[in-house]
Amino acid sequence: AKRVVREMLSHNVLMSTDGPHSNVIKIKPPMVITEEDAIHTLESLDDVLTSFHSIPISLREPSSNRSLS
């Protein structure tokens, strides 16, 4: 989640992480948001998440706080 937040900042979209494991992403829109702002945010998020899919698993950040139970 932290990596998504960092990458989205380069798209001029403000986000933050939350939750006990910082695995929740919060979008921080301005008080007044236009349809164009919403579209830009969603398109940017799609670009960022798609770019992560193309990274080989061996180069991805480890998930230190995940458990299978």
Side-chain angles (χ1 to χ4, degrees), residues 33-36 39 43 50:
I33 186 169
T34 65
E35 184 176 349
E36 290 81 19
I39 291 169
E43 288 177 345
T50 300

Side-chain angles (χ1 to χ4, degrees), residues 6-46:
R6 283 193 313 264
E7 293 295 324
M8 289 297 288
L9 190 55
S10 70
H11 290 262
N12 298 316
V13 177
L14 186 59
M15 298 179 134
S16 66
T17 58
D18 200 357
H21 303 291
S22 296
N23 60 345
V24 176
I25 298 172
K26 291 174 131 185
I27 301 172
K28 307 279 190 153
M31 292 296 288
V32 177
I33 186 169
T34 65
E35 184 176 349
E36 290 81 19
D37 292 333
I39 291 169
H40 171 75
T41 299
L42 293 174
E43 288 177 345
S44 296
L45 185 58
D46 183 54

Side-chain angles (χ1 to χ4, degrees), residues 1 60-67:
R60 295 181 191 172
E61 293 179 10
S63 301
S64 59
N65 292 326
R66 258 191 222 167
S67 69

